[in-house]
Amino acid sequence: MNGGNRSRGQADGFTLDILPKLKDVKSSDNSQSLLSYIVAYYLRHFDEDAGRETCIYPLPEPQDLFQASQMKFDDFQRDLRKLKKDLNACSVETEKVCKLSSEENLQPFKDKMDEFLSQAKTDLETQEKQLADTQKIFLELSVSFSVKPKAGEKEVSPNTLFSVWHEFSSDFKDQWKKQNKLMLQERVKMAEECFKQAREKASYNVKPKHATGIVRLYTSCNSYCMVPSVLLFVKTLVLTNTCQGVEKTTLLAPTVTY
């Protein structure tokens, strides 16, 4: 941004009128603008709700800025002067009615009007003070942002300041919506991938490995070789019992073919 030569670049700062131009500054491959990069960087590093429905637009709404740009301090001052004039006229008329009315017909009109005029005067003074304070703060804000009046203006108007913010906020919100949509798609894709991996892991079963080849043949041979030994033990037991005079017991061993 600050590169360049003596005539261009080497900027120490920038004014607000450059904000609407951020969308026109393109990357070297023309794939994105400086504004889209800023919005994406903000969402990924500073907004924890980015890509979710709870994500809140961080700038004032463009419509609110547009309405602010249409306001004029002169119009407010003129409206307050008219209110003050009408209030004074109402006060004069009230005094006339009170002077021409008899004592028995004076109440409750006099008390009601005195209360109304007193409250209206207080409210009017409050509005006048708020308008003066608001205009003072606005001018201080304009100075802090180095905003200068347009040609033909004595001082900076709300239109001069807020029209820049309105255009920038509109462009920012368009990119904000696009980047949020992209991040939402990324979250959905990641969630689907995690679900797929979890499902594959749950369906994976470890099957017992059966003996094959030489191991299986060796195991089978051991089983068959035990049969003659068992038969020999049974025959020996029967012969021993017979020799000792014990009643012969008939033991039937299963016939095994091997």
Side-chain angles (χ1 to χ4, degrees):
M1 289 292 293
N2 285 339
N5 49 41
R6 293 183 178 181
S7 60
R8 298 189 63 180
Q10 301 299 329
D12 295 328
F14 58 88
T15 54
L16 290 182
D17 57 356
I18 200 177
L19 293 179
K21 301 176 184 178
L22 294 180
K23 64 179 181 294
D24 300 325
V25 181
K26 303 294 183 178
S27 59
S28 58
D29 57 358
N30 205 34
S31 62
Q32 64 176 342
S33 66
L34 180 57
L35 179 61
S36 63
Y37 172 79
I38 292 174
V39 174
Y41 189 89
Y42 166 80
L43 288 173
R44 295 183 183 277
H45 294 83
F46 298 100
D47 195 336
E48 296 180 354
D49 293 328
R52 298 187 176 93
E53 295 182 356
T54 55
C55 186
I56 300 176
Y57 183 59
L59 298 182
E61 289 291 337
Q63 183 61 26
D64 295 337
L65 291 170
F66 173 76
Q67 292 179 353
S69 67
Q70 301 304 305
M71 297 179 179
K72 298 179 180 179
F73 287 111
D74 292 340
D75 292 343
F76 292 132
Q77 291 172 351
R78 183 171 58 253
D79 291 341
L80 289 178
R81 286 195 297 268
K82 185 177 183 304
L83 284 175
K84 188 174 184 178
K85 182 179 179 180
D86 293 342
L87 183 60
N88 290 333
C90 182
S91 179
V92 171
E93 290 298 323
T94 300
E95 291 179 359
K96 289 182 179 179
V97 171
C98 291
K99 288 180 180 180
L100 297 176
S101 299
S102 60
E103 190 68 26
E104 58 184 9
N105 296 326
L106 192 58
Q107 297 298 340
F109 174 79
K110 185 177 183 303
D111 291 343
K112 293 291 185 181
M113 288 305 300
D114 288 343
E115 181 181 356
F116 166 76
L117 292 172
S118 177
Q119 185 62 45
K121 183 179 179 181
T122 300
D123 293 344
L124 181 60
E125 291 175 350
T126 300
Q127 293 298 321
E128 290 175 340
K129 185 177 184 305
Q130 288 181 350
L131 178 60
D133 293 342
T134 302
Q135 187 173 12
K136 180 181 178 182
I137 294 173
F138 172 79
L139 293 176
E140 291 175 352
L141 180 66
S142 302
V143 172
S144 65
F145 281 110
S146 300
V147 180
K148 297 180 180 180
K150 292 182 178 180
E153 291 182 343
K154 296 181 179 179
E155 56 187 17
V156 179
S157 65
N159 181 266
T160 303
L161 177 64
F162 291 117
S163 59
V164 176
W165 279 109
H166 167 248
E167 186 176 356
F168 172 69
S169 182
S170 299
D171 297 335
F172 192 98
K173 190 168 187 178
D174 291 339
Q175 290 296 327
W176 180 80
K177 289 180 178 179
K178 292 179 181 179
Q179 295 297 330
N180 257 305
K181 186 176 180 179
L182 290 175
M183 295 183 68
L184 178 60
Q185 292 175 351
E186 292 177 4
R187 289 181 181 275
V188 172
K189 187 176 181 180
M190 291 176 59
E192 291 176 347
E193 187 66 24
C194 291
F195 176 76
K196 182 179 179 181
Q197 293 177 1
R199 184 173 59 183
E200 291 177 351
K201 185 177 181 180
S203 61
Y204 179 73
N205 295 323
V206 179
K207 296 182 179 180
K209 186 176 181 180
H210 299 286
T212 58
I214 297 176
V215 176
R216 182 179 181 181
L217 180 61
Y218 175 78
T219 304
S220 301
C221 289
N222 284 343
S223 299
Y224 286 124
C225 289
M226 290 178 63
V227 174
S229 300
V230 173
L231 292 177
L232 180 60
F233 172 76
V234 171
K235 290 179 180 180
T236 304
L237 180 62
V238 172
L239 181 59
T240 302
N241 291 337
T242 303
C243 293
Q244 293 178 356
V246 181
E247 182 181 358
K248 184 178 179 180
T249 303
T250 302
L251 296 177
L252 299 178
T255 305
V256 180
T257 303
Y258 62 94

